[in-house]
Amino acid sequence: MSTTLAPPATRHRDMMTAPAAAIAARLHRAGGGARGPLGDARAQFEAASRLLGLDPALHAVLSVPHREMTVMLPLRRPDGTTEMVAGHRVQHSLARGPGKGGIRFSARADLDTVRALAMWMTWKCALFDLPFGGAKGAIAVDPGGLDRGEYERLVRRYARAVAPITGADTDIPAPDVGSGADEMAWMMDAAPAGGAGWGVVTGKPLALGGSQGRAAATSLGVATVALLALERAGIDPREATAAVHGFGKVGRGAALELARAGVRVTAVADVRGGTRAVDGLDLSALAAHVDATGSVAGFADGDALAAADVLTEPVDVLIPAAVEGVITHENADRVRARIIVEGANGPVTSTAEAALRHRGIEIVPDLLANGGGVVVSYFEWVQARQGWWWDAADVEQRLTQRMRESWRLVAGRASAEGVDLRTAATALAVERVAAAVRARGSEG
């Protein structure tokens, strides 16, 4: 049963709602209205708000980011020219604790996308009952176009530029698209006092206070909920098939985990192409091929196909694990999976989701499915503050327990209230954040 949060005094509600609503409308227009990640994030929030009967004042507070920072970073190129690169950090909500969220390095990164990702991080942290708010960052550059020295200098400049609003008790960055342990090490080192507190970032190398299991956490979480979704649908994993779109940090590990559980992974793709084997791909051989060539394209033991075609393979489980917005109104009618498990953030657009649900295709939302990374980031932060590190088995057991418990709560709420999994997950998360804002009072 959902809880409707009681409204505060009318005067207080009106004072908060009018300006915040205007800001929300402006951000909504800037994000392309109902289009793009920001439009999708806001549409999901609106659906959860209606289910909760959310008080207008709380709705206004949670509709917009708490704080945004955009910085311009000079990048000196080998030919002597200087290019200015935009960097962003958005803190959507700090009501439940310090901001938490990754930093992506992508030429496609823009402020609207970061706003959407920060909002999703707020809900994700709340869904897994972590003592964090939601934040996200980006540097608008293609790291593949930089040499290592240029890249490191850019990351360090970004870390120094956002240092006034980040820190172990304020906002803790982590890896995302285009970043990993090396980038987090540079950010930690560039933090004030040389990042003496090991909790200033997560996703660090083990030598700098990183956590066992962090690199594989998102993949393990995706595979865990995919298997739970199969169980809910009454499908034996040993008789199930899966396709993975995005054979990178998340998709590769998720495919291997599903295969260990007996699922037949029949198709995978990355940015350069795809490969398919109806009887199941040899994932060990495929991984070796990717390590040698940098792509799944050209894999000798599979049939070549376009990367986009992996999204329309006839499988039980489809895992879009690359980037946002790959399943849209243009290809939704060709999707033939029974279950979609979102490994990436926002891979299914709002318009596509409505069409998929109408056809009976279940979607396990990113909010739940790819939360393993932030859960183990929380474990890393806790270990750093304690100065006591856990072994890999302990991390995996704690992560699996969190994933299963969150799945149980979301699936139970969806069944009880007759809503889809995304609305149930978002409503549970929004309810928790709203309760924290209310508990803090008018200044929360």
Side-chain angles (χ1 to χ4, degrees), residues 244-248 267-276 281 286 289-290 293-299 302-311 322:
V244 179
H245 183 262
F247 200 66
V268 301
D270 58 26
V271 68
R272 289 166 54 185
T275 186
R276 171 179 54 198
L281 291 161
L286 179 59
H289 171 79
V290 171
T293 68
S295 173
V296 303
F299 181 53
D303 299 322
L305 75 164
D309 290 342
V310 170
L311 296 168

Side-chain angles (χ1 to χ4, degrees), residues 405-423:
E405 175 62 14
S406 295
W407 166 267
R408 184 188 66 80
L409 290 173
V410 171
R413 186 159 191 162
S415 296
E417 305 209 20
V419 296
D420 59 275
L421 292 172
R422 190 186 308 280
T423 301

Side-chain angles (χ1 to χ4, degrees), residues 136-379:
K136 208 74 176 185
I139 299 178
V141 68
D142 176 9
L146 307 177
D147 65 39
R148 187 171 177 81
E150 291 175 313
Y151 191 28
E152 180 176 348
R153 288 191 294 275
L154 189 63
V155 172
R156 288 177 178 273
R157 288 190 180 109
Y158 174 84
R160 289 192 291 269
V162 300
I165 64 169
T166 58
D169 297 309
T170 310
D171 181 2
I172 307 109
D176 197 82
V177 174
S179 61
D182 287 349
E183 290 77 12
M184 296 305 103
W186 299 333
M187 288 198 66
M188 174 181 169
D189 190 56
W198 283 6
V200 295
V201 296
T202 58
K204 305 180 297 297
L206 294 177
L208 293 176
S211 175
Q212 296 281 352
R214 174 60 182 86
T218 305
S219 299
L220 178 58
V222 169
T224 298
V225 297
L227 293 170
L228 290 168
L230 285 171
E231 180 183 321
R232 184 176 190 241
I235 302 171
D236 186 336
R238 294 166 297 182
E239 299 175 359
T241 56
V244 179
H245 183 262
F247 200 66
K249 287 190 296 186
V250 175
R252 176 169 169 165
L256 290 166
E257 290 290 339
L258 289 177
R260 290 188 189 104
V263 176
R264 190 158 35 98
V265 180
T266 59
V268 301
D270 58 26
V271 68
R272 289 166 54 185
T275 186
R276 171 179 54 198
V278 176
D279 294 330
L281 291 161
D282 182 340
L283 294 179
S284 296
L286 179 59
H289 171 79
V290 171
D291 291 341
T293 68
S295 173
V296 303
F299 181 53
D301 295 330
D303 299 322
L305 75 164
D309 290 342
V310 170
L311 296 168
T312 58
E313 284 289 291
V315 291
D316 294 302
V317 177
L318 170 64
I319 300 178
V323 294
E324 67 277 354
V326 295
I327 300 177
T328 70
H329 68 282
E330 295 178 346
N331 63 358
D333 63 334
R334 300 195 304 276
V335 172
R336 292 181 285 172
R338 297 175 64 179
I339 302 168
I340 297 173
V341 180
E342 294 186 318
N345 289 313
V348 180
T349 66
S350 295
T351 51
E353 182 159 2
L356 293 167
R357 287 206 311 266
H358 180 72
R359 293 172 52 206
I361 297 173
E362 178 143 273
I363 300 171
V364 183
D366 49 4
L367 186 60
L368 172 62
N370 68 19
V374 73
V375 171
V376 178
S377 276
Y378 167 61
F379 294 165

